[in-house]
């Protein structure tokens, strides 16, 4: 009998973590950070709910921090086994974990300055850069679709989840007393409308299935509508000479936006703007995407390569596809963009405007009537991005209050997650013997709606509780 315990991404969408026991082997599936409100993030400081030194191996579905961000803590608690993931994921987590460590070191330093002044005891950051360096030595990138033995009686195979570069659906094969059982973890399943990535691989069999349910209660706007809106904004900005700011997440969304801008450029609709990618992290990630171009879907890869060939440019293909793309790496280069009053499209983080370089671009552009801010991702309650989307007329930065007269746009179709219909479609391929279905990685409403929808199709989905175990 194998046992699976649900330790994270159960009461929300962050902190993804599941422990599998099969015979004498113990395996951890994901080791993500809790992200969001302060109270939720407090959970990251608690000891892990199992003995890490007894875990034989870890398997990581993809690089996002809500799936990978507690890996350095796992090592801190005595884990010393291999961590398996796809090759692009092993490149991406280096960028993401290092960025997470420097943010944590910086936050702890801020807090400690305050504490020193009030005579309080100092705190330690959750982890440091050197912890990340050590963790990375345990990471092993393996190919997609290759079955690999990772512990006694346990094999793993990564299928493409189409969510971000390197993202995987994890298939785990467990052999106990000559019998094989299969656990499938969907990871985060991609939106099949998204650019660059492939559609999620079809899986046809499993005994037990963990399915994400981020958008279990809704469908996305169509990509056609979304792209038409995007084109309208760019046309308007061309007419009135304003800048366009795009607050964006570094992994996935940024590269999709670059591709979409490339399509517009090639159609001759982007003649007047220079495009600045103003985020060292997004630049590093874009370079990794570039390295793994052969993993893009065929159509988009052909589009990029065809244009690159046509221009006979010596530039690498993404830059030949969108020749007006500029990287802005240093702080000085970023500050120089403040002087541009028109003709610039600036992509910068953070995606919800609660930090990063986008904030100083907002300061220099929000008060200008001809500026446009285009939101391409989800804006959580309480973030400055959400306030702008909700129509706030002022924006606070440092001691300054900026009047918002720029146009604010929200484009709904760029989600990196499968919609309810796409989830149901993916499930429909499990033909023989439906697996036991567990809904994870979703808010309560999304999971409830997805349970209702799947049950109508003959499933009997379980919504697990935190710490619950199932035998199979
Ligand atoms: Zn993700």
């Amino acid at each position: 009998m194998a046992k699976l315990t649900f330790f994270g991404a159960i009461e929300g969408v962050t902190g993804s973590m599941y422990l599998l026991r099969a015979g004498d082997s113990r395996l951890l599936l994901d080791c993500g950070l809790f992200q969001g409100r302060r109270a939720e993030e407090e959970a990251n400081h608690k000891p892990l709910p199992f003995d890490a030194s007894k875990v034989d191996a870890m398997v990581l579905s993809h690089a996002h921090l809500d799936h990978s961000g507690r890996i350095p803590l796992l090592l801190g608690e005595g884990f010393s086994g291999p961590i398996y993931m796809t090759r692009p994921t092993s490149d991406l987590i280096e960028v993401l974990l290092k960025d997470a460590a420097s943010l944590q070191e910086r936050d702890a330093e801020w807090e400690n300055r305050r504490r020193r002044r009030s005579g309080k005891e100092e705190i330690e950051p959750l982890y440091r850069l050197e912890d990340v360096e050590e963790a990375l030595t345990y990471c092993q990138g393996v190919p997609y679709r290759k079955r690999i033995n990772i512990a006694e009686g346990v094999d793993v195979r990564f299928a493409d989840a189409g969510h971000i570069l390197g993202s995987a659906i994890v298939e785990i094969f467990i052999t106990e007393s000559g019998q094989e059982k299969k656990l499938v973890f969907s990871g985060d399943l991609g939106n099949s409308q998204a650019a660059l990535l492939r559609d999620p691989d079809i899986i046809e069999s499993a005994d037990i299935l963990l399915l994400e349910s981020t958008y279990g209660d809704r469908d996305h706007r169509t990509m056609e509508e979304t792209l038409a809106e995007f084109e309208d904004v760019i046309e308007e900005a061309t007419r009135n000479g304003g800048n366009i700011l795009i607050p964006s997440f570094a992994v996935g969304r940024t590269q999709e936006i670059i591709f979409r801008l490339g399509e517009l450029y090639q159609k001759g609709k982007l003649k007047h703007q220079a495009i600045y990618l103003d985020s060292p992290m997004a630049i590093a990630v874009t370079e990794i995407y570039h390295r793994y171009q052969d993993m893009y879907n065929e159509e988009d890869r052909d589009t990029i390569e065809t244009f690159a060939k046509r221009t006979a440019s010596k530039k690498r293909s993404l830059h030949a596809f969108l020749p007006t793309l500029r990287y802005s790496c240093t702080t000085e280069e970023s500050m120089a963009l403040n002087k541009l009053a028109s003709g610039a499209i600036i992509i910068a983080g953070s995606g919800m405007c609660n930090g990063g370089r986008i904030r100083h671009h907002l300061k220099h552009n929000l008060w200008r009537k001809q500026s446009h801010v285009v939101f391409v991702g989800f804006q959580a309650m309480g973030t400055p991005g959400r306030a702008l989307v909700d129509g706030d007329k002022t924006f606070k930065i440092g001691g300054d209050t900026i009047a918002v007269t720029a146009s604010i746009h929200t484009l709904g179709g760029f989600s990196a997650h499968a919609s309810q219909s796409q989830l149901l479609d993916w499930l429909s391929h499990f033909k023989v013997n439906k697996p036991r279905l567990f809904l994870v990685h979703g808010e309560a409403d999304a999971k409830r709606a997805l349970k209702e929808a799947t049950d109508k199709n003959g499933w009997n989905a379980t919504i697990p509780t935190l710490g619950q175990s199932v035998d199979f």
Side-chain angles (χ1 to χ4, degrees), residues 429-446:
H429 297 279
F430 287 88
K431 292 216 165 70
V432 246
N433 298 335
K434 284 197 167 89
R436 284 169 71 187
L437 175 61
F438 293 85
L439 302 180
V440 298
H441 200 285
E443 300 296 344
D445 288 348

PDB file of all heavy atoms in Angstrom, residues 429-446:
ATOM      1  N   HIS A 429      -9.502  12.441 -21.497  1.00  0.00           N
ATOM      2  CA  HIS A 429      -8.646  11.437 -22.144  1.00  0.00           C
ATOM      3  C   HIS A 429      -8.343  10.233 -21.253  1.00  0.00           C
ATOM      4  O   HIS A 429      -7.763   9.258 -21.713  1.00  0.00           O
ATOM      5  CB  HIS A 429      -7.348  12.091 -22.621  1.00  0.00           C
ATOM      6  CG  HIS A 429      -7.600  13.140 -23.663  1.00  0.00           C
ATOM      7  ND1 HIS A 429      -7.810  12.849 -24.988  1.00  0.00           N
ATOM      8  CD2 HIS A 429      -7.743  14.484 -23.557  1.00  0.00           C
ATOM      9  CE1 HIS A 429      -8.039  13.963 -25.663  1.00  0.00           C
ATOM     10  NE2 HIS A 429      -8.001  14.973 -24.815  1.00  0.00           N
ATOM     11  N   PHE A 430      -8.689  10.313 -19.986  1.00  0.00           N
ATOM     12  CA  PHE A 430      -8.548   9.129 -19.116  1.00  0.00           C
ATOM     13  C   PHE A 430      -9.719   8.220 -19.445  1.00  0.00           C
ATOM     14  O   PHE A 430     -10.826   8.432 -18.961  1.00  0.00           O
ATOM     15  CB  PHE A 430      -8.570   9.525 -17.634  1.00  0.00           C
ATOM     16  CG  PHE A 430      -7.311  10.206 -17.191  1.00  0.00           C
ATOM     17  CD1 PHE A 430      -7.178  11.585 -17.307  1.00  0.00           C
ATOM     18  CD2 PHE A 430      -6.257   9.474 -16.674  1.00  0.00           C
ATOM     19  CE1 PHE A 430      -6.003  12.216 -16.907  1.00  0.00           C
ATOM     20  CE2 PHE A 430      -5.088  10.097 -16.275  1.00  0.00           C
ATOM     21  CZ  PHE A 430      -4.962  11.475 -16.389  1.00  0.00           C
ATOM     22  N   LYS A 431      -9.479   7.251 -20.311  1.00  0.00           N
ATOM     23  CA  LYS A 431     -10.615   6.509 -20.858  1.00  0.00           C
ATOM     24  C   LYS A 431     -10.982   5.289 -20.028  1.00  0.00           C
ATOM     25  O   LYS A 431     -12.074   5.167 -19.516  1.00  0.00           O
ATOM     26  CB  LYS A 431     -10.295   6.111 -22.302  1.00  0.00           C
ATOM     27  CG  LYS A 431     -10.246   7.365 -23.176  1.00  0.00           C
ATOM     28  CD  LYS A 431     -10.794   7.134 -24.559  1.00  0.00           C
ATOM     29  CE  LYS A 431     -11.062   8.450 -25.262  1.00  0.00           C
ATOM     30  NZ  LYS A 431      -9.858   9.191 -25.632  1.00  0.00           N
ATOM     31  N   VAL A 432     -10.002   4.421 -19.875  1.00  0.00           N
ATOM     32  CA  VAL A 432     -10.312   3.188 -19.133  1.00  0.00           C
ATOM     33  C   VAL A 432     -10.170   3.465 -17.634  1.00  0.00           C
ATOM     34  O   VAL A 432      -9.244   4.160 -17.238  1.00  0.00           O
ATOM     35  CB  VAL A 432      -9.300   2.074 -19.503  1.00  0.00           C
ATOM     36  CG1 VAL A 432      -9.985   0.944 -20.229  1.00  0.00           C
ATOM     37  CG2 VAL A 432      -8.125   2.621 -20.269  1.00  0.00           C
ATOM     38  N   ASN A 433     -11.014   2.891 -16.854  1.00  0.00           N
ATOM     39  CA  ASN A 433     -10.945   3.019 -15.392  1.00  0.00           C
ATOM     40  C   ASN A 433     -10.528   4.402 -14.917  1.00  0.00           C
ATOM     41  O   ASN A 433      -9.361   4.711 -14.788  1.00  0.00           O
ATOM     42  CB  ASN A 433      -9.941   2.019 -14.805  1.00  0.00           C
ATOM     43  CG  ASN A 433     -10.369   0.601 -15.086  1.00  0.00           C
ATOM     44  OD1 ASN A 433     -11.564   0.350 -15.288  1.00  0.00           O
ATOM     45  ND2 ASN A 433      -9.425  -0.314 -15.117  1.00  0.00           N
ATOM     46  N   LYS A 434     -11.497   5.236 -14.682  1.00  0.00           N
ATOM     47  CA  LYS A 434     -11.179   6.583 -14.204  1.00  0.00           C
ATOM     48  C   LYS A 434     -10.369   6.500 -12.911  1.00  0.00           C
ATOM     49  O   LYS A 434     -10.719   5.767 -12.002  1.00  0.00           O
ATOM     50  CB  LYS A 434     -12.473   7.335 -13.933  1.00  0.00           C
ATOM     51  CG  LYS A 434     -13.160   7.807 -15.198  1.00  0.00           C
ATOM     52  CD  LYS A 434     -14.174   8.881 -14.882  1.00  0.00           C
ATOM     53  CE  LYS A 434     -14.636   9.590 -16.114  1.00  0.00           C
ATOM     54  NZ  LYS A 434     -15.787   8.986 -16.756  1.00  0.00           N
ATOM     55  N   PRO A 435      -9.270   7.287 -12.806  1.00  0.00           N
ATOM     56  CA  PRO A 435      -8.514   7.276 -11.554  1.00  0.00           C
ATOM     57  C   PRO A 435      -9.283   7.977 -10.426  1.00  0.00           C
ATOM     58  O   PRO A 435     -10.245   8.694 -10.682  1.00  0.00           O
ATOM     59  CB  PRO A 435      -7.249   8.068 -11.900  1.00  0.00           C
ATOM     60  CG  PRO A 435      -7.564   8.834 -13.136  1.00  0.00           C
ATOM     61  CD  PRO A 435      -8.658   8.113 -13.850  1.00  0.00           C
ATOM     62  N   ARG A 436      -8.806   7.736  -9.191  1.00  0.00           N
ATOM     63  CA  ARG A 436      -9.370   8.516  -8.071  1.00  0.00           C
ATOM     64  C   ARG A 436      -8.856   9.935  -8.223  1.00  0.00           C
ATOM     65  O   ARG A 436      -7.651  10.164  -8.325  1.00  0.00           O
ATOM     66  CB  ARG A 436      -8.891   7.950  -6.728  1.00  0.00           C
ATOM     67  CG  ARG A 436      -9.603   6.671  -6.344  1.00  0.00           C
ATOM     68  CD  ARG A 436      -8.903   6.026  -5.180  1.00  0.00           C
ATOM     69  NE  ARG A 436      -9.087   6.756  -3.932  1.00  0.00           N
ATOM     70  CZ  ARG A 436      -8.447   6.444  -2.803  1.00  0.00           C
ATOM     71  NH1 ARG A 436      -7.571   5.459  -2.789  1.00  0.00           N
ATOM     72  NH2 ARG A 436      -8.678   7.119  -1.698  1.00  0.00           N
ATOM     73  N   LEU A 437      -9.769  10.892  -8.232  1.00  0.00           N
ATOM     74  CA  LEU A 437      -9.409  12.272  -8.569  1.00  0.00           C
ATOM     75  C   LEU A 437      -9.386  13.163  -7.320  1.00  0.00           C
ATOM     76  O   LEU A 437     -10.351  13.199  -6.553  1.00  0.00           O
ATOM     77  CB  LEU A 437     -10.430  12.813  -9.587  1.00  0.00           C
ATOM     78  CG  LEU A 437     -10.321  14.274  -9.987  1.00  0.00           C
ATOM     79  CD1 LEU A 437      -8.978  14.575 -10.647  1.00  0.00           C
ATOM     80  CD2 LEU A 437     -11.467  14.650 -10.938  1.00  0.00           C
ATOM     81  N   PHE A 438      -8.284  13.859  -7.124  1.00  0.00           N
ATOM     82  CA  PHE A 438      -8.152  14.816  -6.018  1.00  0.00           C
ATOM     83  C   PHE A 438      -7.908  16.205  -6.593  1.00  0.00           C
ATOM     84  O   PHE A 438      -7.007  16.381  -7.430  1.00  0.00           O
ATOM     85  CB  PHE A 438      -6.995  14.411  -5.096  1.00  0.00           C
ATOM     86  CG  PHE A 438      -7.262  13.127  -4.363  1.00  0.00           C
ATOM     87  CD1 PHE A 438      -6.977  11.908  -4.949  1.00  0.00           C
ATOM     88  CD2 PHE A 438      -7.856  13.147  -3.103  1.00  0.00           C
ATOM     89  CE1 PHE A 438      -7.263  10.716  -4.289  1.00  0.00           C
ATOM     90  CE2 PHE A 438      -8.146  11.968  -2.427  1.00  0.00           C
ATOM     91  CZ  PHE A 438      -7.846  10.739  -3.023  1.00  0.00           C
ATOM     92  N   LEU A 439      -8.703  17.167  -6.153  1.00  0.00           N
ATOM     93  CA  LEU A 439      -8.563  18.531  -6.672  1.00  0.00           C
ATOM     94  C   LEU A 439      -7.687  19.342  -5.725  1.00  0.00           C
ATOM     95  O   LEU A 439      -7.985  19.456  -4.527  1.00  0.00           O
ATOM     96  CB  LEU A 439      -9.934  19.186  -6.818  1.00  0.00           C
ATOM     97  CG  LEU A 439     -10.907  18.425  -7.731  1.00  0.00           C
ATOM     98  CD1 LEU A 439     -12.240  19.165  -7.808  1.00  0.00           C
ATOM     99  CD2 LEU A 439     -10.319  18.225  -9.127  1.00  0.00           C
ATOM    100  N   VAL A 440      -6.598  19.887  -6.260  1.00  0.00           N
ATOM    101  CA  VAL A 440      -5.651  20.664  -5.451  1.00  0.00           C
ATOM    102  C   VAL A 440      -5.410  22.002  -6.136  1.00  0.00           C
ATOM    103  O   VAL A 440      -5.971  22.279  -7.192  1.00  0.00           O
ATOM    104  CB  VAL A 440      -4.312  19.897  -5.294  1.00  0.00           C
ATOM    105  CG1 VAL A 440      -4.529  18.587  -4.567  1.00  0.00           C
ATOM    106  CG2 VAL A 440      -3.649  19.626  -6.649  1.00  0.00           C
ATOM    107  N   HIS A 441      -4.566  22.852  -5.525  1.00  0.00           N
ATOM    108  CA  HIS A 441      -4.096  24.081  -6.148  1.00  0.00           C
ATOM    109  C   HIS A 441      -5.245  24.928  -6.697  1.00  0.00           C
ATOM    110  O   HIS A 441      -5.335  25.188  -7.901  1.00  0.00           O
ATOM    111  CB  HIS A 441      -3.099  23.731  -7.277  1.00  0.00           C
ATOM    112  CG  HIS A 441      -2.195  24.860  -7.678  1.00  0.00           C
ATOM    113  ND1 HIS A 441      -2.625  25.927  -8.429  1.00  0.00           N
ATOM    114  CD2 HIS A 441      -0.904  25.099  -7.432  1.00  0.00           C
ATOM    115  CE1 HIS A 441      -1.628  26.763  -8.639  1.00  0.00           C
ATOM    116  NE2 HIS A 441      -0.568  26.280  -8.027  1.00  0.00           N
ATOM    117  N   GLY A 442      -6.139  25.343  -5.794  1.00  0.00           N
ATOM    118  CA  GLY A 442      -7.234  26.220  -6.211  1.00  0.00           C
ATOM    119  C   GLY A 442      -7.882  26.834  -4.989  1.00  0.00           C
ATOM    120  O   GLY A 442      -7.783  26.281  -3.889  1.00  0.00           O
ATOM    121  N   GLU A 443      -8.524  27.980  -5.173  1.00  0.00           N
ATOM    122  CA  GLU A 443      -9.306  28.562  -4.081  1.00  0.00           C
ATOM    123  C   GLU A 443     -10.559  27.698  -3.907  1.00  0.00           C
ATOM    124  O   GLU A 443     -10.952  26.962  -4.827  1.00  0.00           O
ATOM    125  CB  GLU A 443      -9.697  30.009  -4.411  1.00  0.00           C
ATOM    126  CG  GLU A 443      -8.532  30.965  -4.639  1.00  0.00           C
ATOM    127  CD  GLU A 443      -7.648  31.180  -3.404  1.00  0.00           C
ATOM    128  OE1 GLU A 443      -8.093  30.843  -2.278  1.00  0.00           O
ATOM    129  OE2 GLU A 443      -6.514  31.655  -3.571  1.00  0.00           O
ATOM    130  N   ALA A 444     -11.190  27.815  -2.724  1.00  0.00           N
ATOM    131  CA  ALA A 444     -12.328  26.948  -2.392  1.00  0.00           C
ATOM    132  C   ALA A 444     -13.429  26.985  -3.460  1.00  0.00           C
ATOM    133  O   ALA A 444     -13.931  25.929  -3.873  1.00  0.00           O
ATOM    134  CB  ALA A 444     -12.886  27.341  -1.030  1.00  0.00           C
ATOM    135  N   ASP A 445     -13.769  28.186  -3.955  1.00  0.00           N
ATOM    136  CA  ASP A 445     -14.856  28.302  -4.944  1.00  0.00           C
ATOM    137  C   ASP A 445     -14.503  27.587  -6.244  1.00  0.00           C
ATOM    138  O   ASP A 445     -15.351  26.930  -6.852  1.00  0.00           O
ATOM    139  CB  ASP A 445     -15.134  29.783  -5.276  1.00  0.00           C
ATOM    140  CG  ASP A 445     -15.820  30.481  -4.127  1.00  0.00           C
ATOM    141  OD1 ASP A 445     -16.280  29.774  -3.185  1.00  0.00           O
ATOM    142  OD2 ASP A 445     -15.888  31.727  -4.150  1.00  0.00           O
ATOM    143  N   ALA A 446     -13.238  27.737  -6.655  1.00  0.00           N
ATOM    144  CA  ALA A 446     -12.798  27.123  -7.912  1.00  0.00           C
ATOM    145  C   ALA A 446     -12.865  25.603  -7.795  1.00  0.00           C
ATOM    146  O   ALA A 446     -13.302  24.909  -8.720  1.00  0.00           O
ATOM    147  CB  ALA A 446     -11.384  27.574  -8.252  1.00  0.00           C
TER     148      ALA A 446
END
